[in-house]
Amino acid sequence: MIKLGVNIDHIATIRQARRTFEPDPVIAAPLAVLGGADIITVHLREDRRHIQDRDVRLLREVVFTKLNLEMSIAREIMDIAIKTRPEQVTLVPEKRQEVTTEGGLDVVSQKKVLVDIVKRFTDAGILVSLFIDPEENQISASKDVGAQYIELHTGNYANAKDDISKSKQIEKLEAGVKIAQKLRLRVNAGHGLTYQNVGIIVESLDVEELHIGHSIVSRAVFVGIQKAVSEMKELIFKPELKR
Ligand code: PXP
């Protein structure tokens, strides 16, 4: 059964709009878990635009399911991650100017440095997932550097304008999953997924975890985080897909 990772960064985005204490992502996390979240994800960005160090510290105290820390490979952030001991880190590329993560990590060109980074986390008992585009060379490089998981970037599927381009992107993702599974990599997927477009992903991709943020937090503004998560969980809970 596909697990749901809920990215609660944008609860903190609303808080940081006023640099105040509310809404608190640390309160959102257990409510998301009550709604059915299997994983709580936050991205501690170098510019601290939403999630703050204190959030990560406190989330470690309150999340008993799986805490997934999305992060760049900046040394300062890696040190915080090692100290916090989330169950999993997802390594992503990070640019200050971007609105959200654009494109996957270039594992191929950073193989040397990633081998050491993955080893550092693995030695600390932390699972490593690499957020990559569904390209064969990036997938096999992820295996070579020792990552346990990859997270396939679904952004191109989410942004596809018509059915033909959507199908093409789904085919690419399906092929990526197959390549990864042959290499015995565990496969997650995420980015840009919504209540409207998640169905095809669930039907087509044999993945372990889906990571969804913006759409769930947007709905939560109107219906509350627990309900927003449970509605998404209903869309991905398909017991007939025996995997
Ligand atoms: N997965 C990764 C690696 C991401 O960087 C993000 C965005 O923080 C997500 C999933 C969630 O994307 P979205 O907010 O578009 O659902």
Side-chain angles (χ1 to χ4, degrees):
M1 216 168 59
I2 298 181
K3 294 198 169 96
L4 174 60
V6 177
N7 180 317
I8 56 172
D9 289 349
H10 295 311
I11 303 278
T13 301
I14 301 174
R15 177 190 62 193
Q16 294 312 110
R18 286 293 175 92
R19 295 196 165 68
T20 174
F21 60 91
E22 62 183 1
D24 192 337
V26 179
I27 294 175
L31 292 174
V33 171
L34 280 177
D38 301 290
I39 302 139
I40 295 294
T41 297
V42 287
H43 184 169
L44 184 67
R45 282 185 166 265
E46 287 171 74
D47 63 10
R48 309 297 200 272
R49 68 172 71 162
H50 38 52
I51 293 296
Q52 306 296 307
D53 299 49
R54 149 286 178 203
D55 300 332
V56 175
R57 257 194 331 271
L58 293 178
L59 283 166
R60 179 59 299 176
E61 300 286 317
V62 301
V63 174
F64 298 105
T65 48
K66 180 177 189 180
L67 181 64
N68 172 39
L69 188 63
E70 247 184 54
M71 51 180 284
S72 72
I73 54 171
R75 177 155 291 278
E76 181 214 359
I77 305 290
M78 285 202 292
D79 290 346
I80 292 172
I82 294 281
K83 227 165 92 186
T84 307
R85 294 193 180 270
E87 278 74 22
Q88 181 168 304
V89 292
T90 299
L91 305 183
V92 301
E94 189 176 304
K95 291 193 214 113
R96 294 221 169 199
Q97 306 81 354
E98 70 193 356
V99 176
T100 180
T101 318
E102 294 165 352
L105 191 68
D106 186 356
V107 184
V108 173
S109 73
Q110 301 181 88
K111 250 171 131 174
K112 252 193 170 156
V113 39
L114 281 168
V115 167
D116 293 338
I117 290 172
V118 172
K119 184 173 184 313
R120 189 172 172 212
F121 284 119
T122 306
D123 288 350
I126 299 169
L127 295 164
V128 180
S129 178
L130 303 178
F131 181 59
I132 57 169
D133 292 320
E135 304 292 344
E136 184 161 9
N137 59 347
Q138 298 295 349
I139 298 168
S140 48
S142 300
K143 177 71 185 180
D144 294 344
V145 301
Q148 293 82 28
Y149 284 89
I150 54 168
E151 179 179 331
L152 292 178
H153 192 329
T154 50
N156 286 341
Y157 157 72
N159 294 332
K161 294 276 177 273
D162 53 63
D163 288 349
I164 295 177
S165 357
K166 266 187 211 152
S167 307
K168 271 197 191 142
Q169 294 303 328
I170 288 288
E171 278 167 27
K172 271 191 109 171
L173 288 161
E174 282 176 319
V177 171
K178 289 210 175 89
I179 295 165
Q181 286 174 340
K182 263 198 192 146
L183 295 170
R184 297 188 177 278
L185 276 165
R186 301 171 76 173
V187 192
N188 303 331
H191 210 283
L193 299 180
T194 66
Y195 295 83
Q196 289 73 35
N197 70 17
V198 76
I200 302 176
I201 292 282
V202 172
E203 299 290 331
S204 321
L205 302 187
D206 180 10
V207 293
E208 277 190 42
E209 302 169 355
L210 287 182
H211 290 272
I212 309 178
H214 185 265
S215 188
I216 292 177
V217 173
S218 303
R219 196 173 194 89
V221 169
F222 299 112
V223 304
I225 185 87
Q226 189 173 332
K227 187 161 189 323
V229 172
S230 70
E231 287 175 2
M232 182 61 83
K233 186 82 180 201
E234 246 171 63
L235 294 176
I236 69 169
F237 181 76
K238 300 264 187 268
E240 69 273 18
L241 292 178
K242 290 207 183 68
R243 288 179 165 141

